[in-house]
């Protein structure tokens, strides 16, 4: 079944990882709409807490700026901004490579751990089941909670650079790529004008048609034992992952704010600015989790390379989870000094290695 029930909270691993080989009481990650008002307020409060904490001096960039195309670290930014910067810096290493699924699984986990250890959050990472909203995305009740403590707020105001005007994040200030307030800009057909590598073969496609309940079910029950093709289905330009980013526009969509310098490079780099990023990637992780559990040949299936395969469309189709050199399960994933590193093997099983959670 697409969304099964169970019980979970990820182990805190930020300071010193403790292996969860005896994970007997996994925490249960739940859909945001199942949270009580108090639970929503607690998560939001913890997110804001991270944005009030100072910059982590241990953070450092590992990708040359000529490759990452990002601004230098802003030492006056917040701890939340530091998490954003890791995603910015590692952009070319964690998208369209063998790190996409395992690295983002780990990223959501260490973020959850930061909420718990630094901001006394007692809950779990929520996920956002966007397939529930796909048919009426813009009008979905998901955007209707304007409560300043527990609401995620709605769409941005076009006259104010699409800044979110209500809910708990209407004054959520961010440092990258320049100082600005959180933005959301609904974009029904985000592929128009995009080209290259056949990643957008249907430029007039409505993005919400790519992540319906039926489409997600097909992905979970398809690609048996074929990890690269499963990743390609999820990650390619018109796949569920990218479509949710782009239909949201603003920060999650990677559009440059009005305050950004002229050389600002739009794209997925600073998408973690949007607090919904963490729920979005928890959902991506849940879909991978469901696919892993859909067939025993899927569970440990893994093939991936260290380099993006954007040379041409046929090369990408041959190596959709990254090109050589190929990675193995013992590859140590990068963290830019923000948190303890982990291997791919450590995060393949959500109830073993460094993890101890399941999805409801």
């Amino acid at each position: 079944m697409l969304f099964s029930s169970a019980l979970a909270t990820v182990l805190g691993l930020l300071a010193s990882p403790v292996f969860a080989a005896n994970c007997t009481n996994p925490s249960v990650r739940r859909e945001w709409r199942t949270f009580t008002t108090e639970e929503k307020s607690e998560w939001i409060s913890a997110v804001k807490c991270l944005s009030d904490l100072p910059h982590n001096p241990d953070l450092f960039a590992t990708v040359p700026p000529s490759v990452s195309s990002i601004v230098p670290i802003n030492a006056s930014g917040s701890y939340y901004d530091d998490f954003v910067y890791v995603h910015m810096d590692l952009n070319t290493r964690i998208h369209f490579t063998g790190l996409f699924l395992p690295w983002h699984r780990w990223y959501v986990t260490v973020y959850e751990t930061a909420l718990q250890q630094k901001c006394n959050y007692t809950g779990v990472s929520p996920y956002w089941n966007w397939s529930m909203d796909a048919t009426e995305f813009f009008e979905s009740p998901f955007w209707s909670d304007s409560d300043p403590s527990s609401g995620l707020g709605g769409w941005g105001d076009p006259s104010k650079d699409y800044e979110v005007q209500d809910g708990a994040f209407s004054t959520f200030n961010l440092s990258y790529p320049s100082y600005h307030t959180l933005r959301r800009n609904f974009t029904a057909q985000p592929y128009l004008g995009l080209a290259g590598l056949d990643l957008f073969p249907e430029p007039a496609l409505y993005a919400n048609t790519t992540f319906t309940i039926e489409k997600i079910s097909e992905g979970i029950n398809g690609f048996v034992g074929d990890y690269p093709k499963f990743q390609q289905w999820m990650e390619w330009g018109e796949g569920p992952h990218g479509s949710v980013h782009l239909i949201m526009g603003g920060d999650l969509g990677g559009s440059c704010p009005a305050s950004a310098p002229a050389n600002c490079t739009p794209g997925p780099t600073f998408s973690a600015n949007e607090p919904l990023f963490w729920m979005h990637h928890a959902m991506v992780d849940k879909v991978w989790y469901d696919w892993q559990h859909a067939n025993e040949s899927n569970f440990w299936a893994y093939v991936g390379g260290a380099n993006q395969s954007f040379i041409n469309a046929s090369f990408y189709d041959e190596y959709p989870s990254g090109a050589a050199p190929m990675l193995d399960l013992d590859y140590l994933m990068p963290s830019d000094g923000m948190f303890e590193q982990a291997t791919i093997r450590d995060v393949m099983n959500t109830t073993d290695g460094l993890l101890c959670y399941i999805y409801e």
Side-chain angles (χ1 to χ4, degrees):
M1 193 170 188
L2 180 56
F3 302 110
S4 53
S5 298
L7 46 128
T9 305
V10 174
L11 284 181
L13 311 167
L14 204 61
S16 175
V18 177
F19 277 76
N22 297 314
C23 175
T24 57
N25 188 31
S27 58
V28 184
R29 290 186 177 176
R30 294 156 40 218
E31 212 277 335
W32 175 253
R33 280 161 281 209
T34 71
F35 278 41
T36 65
T37 299
E38 291 72 22
E39 289 172 327
K40 290 177 179 178
S41 294
E42 186 190 4
W43 183 82
I44 288 172
S45 177
V47 173
K48 289 184 170 182
C49 164
L50 286 188
S51 72
D52 290 332
L53 296 178
H55 161 67
N56 178 4
D58 294 333
L59 173 67
F60 60 90
T62 57
V63 177
S66 60
V67 176
S68 63
S69 299
I70 62 173
V71 297
I73 292 172
N74 182 353
S76 66
S78 70
Y79 198 82
Y80 185 96
D81 292 322
D82 289 342
F83 264 97
V84 176
Y85 198 85
V86 172
H87 191 262
M88 292 170 62
D89 180 53
L90 298 177
N91 173 45
T92 57
R93 298 184 63 185
I94 58 175
H95 297 116
F96 298 97
T97 72
L99 290 181
F100 174 66
L101 289 170
W103 189 89
H104 283 87
R105 173 175 280 181
W106 185 231
Y107 188 46
V108 172
T109 297
V110 294
Y111 176 77
E112 178 188 64
T113 301
L115 296 178
Q116 294 167 343
Q117 293 185 351
K118 294 185 174 293
C119 296
N120 301 314
Y121 179 58
T122 61
V124 299
S125 285
Y127 67 89
W128 169 27
N129 182 355
W130 18 253
S131 71
M132 295 169 60
D133 308 297
T135 55
E136 299 291 340
F137 195 81
F138 182 77
E139 299 85 3
S140 171
F142 187 81
W143 310 110
S144 64
D145 192 347
S146 60
D147 188 281
S149 297
S150 60
L152 298 174
W155 299 104
D157 184 342
S159 69
K160 298 179 180 178
D161 195 27
Y162 296 98
E163 292 178 357
V164 173
Q165 300 297 301
D166 61 358
F169 295 111
S170 61
T171 57
F172 197 63
N173 296 318
L174 302 150
S175 294
Y176 298 112
S178 59
Y179 188 78
H180 69 283
T181 301
L182 178 67
R183 299 162 303 127
R184 293 176 187 151
N185 176 16
F186 174 71
T187 310
Q189 294 173 284
Y191 319 122
L192 292 173
L194 298 177
L197 295 177
D198 294 334
L199 291 178
F200 306 99
E202 297 182 66
L205 189 68
Y206 285 84
N208 61 315
T209 64
T210 72
F211 54 86
T212 62
I213 289 175
E214 294 75 20
K215 292 286 188 182
I216 301 307
S217 181
E218 288 173 10
I220 289 170
N221 294 296
F223 315 106
V224 176
D226 193 342
Y227 180 93
K229 289 301 182 183
F230 172 76
Q231 176 175 328
Q232 183 178 38
W233 163 78
M234 172 60 75
E235 193 186 17
W236 75 303
E238 293 172 3
H241 164 256
S243 292
V244 173
H245 275 277
L246 293 173
I247 198 172
M248 283 284 293
D251 282 290
L252 194 66
S255 67
C256 295
S259 62
N263 64 349
C264 174
T265 302
T269 57
F270 50 85
S271 57
N273 277 333
E274 166 66 79
L276 280 169
F277 172 95
W278 308 99
M279 294 190 205
H280 169 43
H281 269 280
M283 178 60 179
V284 172
D285 184 55
K286 181 193 180 337
V287 176
W288 179 27
Y289 170 97
D290 287 343
W291 179 80
Q292 285 183 296
H293 289 83
N295 189 292
E296 62 180 352
S297 64
N298 296 348
F299 196 87
W300 285 99
Y302 178 80
V303 177
N307 289 313
Q308 295 178 322
S309 52
F310 284 170
I311 297 174
N312 55 56
S314 60
F315 191 62
Y316 169 66
D317 195 54
E318 185 177 359
Y319 299 102
S321 58
M326 304 310 289
L327 307 176
D328 60 30
L329 293 180
D330 294 316
Y331 181 82
L332 199 61
M333 298 185 290
S335 68
D336 281 8
M338 270 294 286
F339 41 85
E340 290 266 357
Q341 290 180 264
T343 66
I344 294 171
R345 186 188 308 277
D346 289 332
V347 300
M348 288 294 291
N349 185 348
T350 69
T351 57
D352 199 358
L354 292 177
L355 307 177
C356 191
Y357 69 86
I358 57 178
Y359 284 98
E360 97 173 348

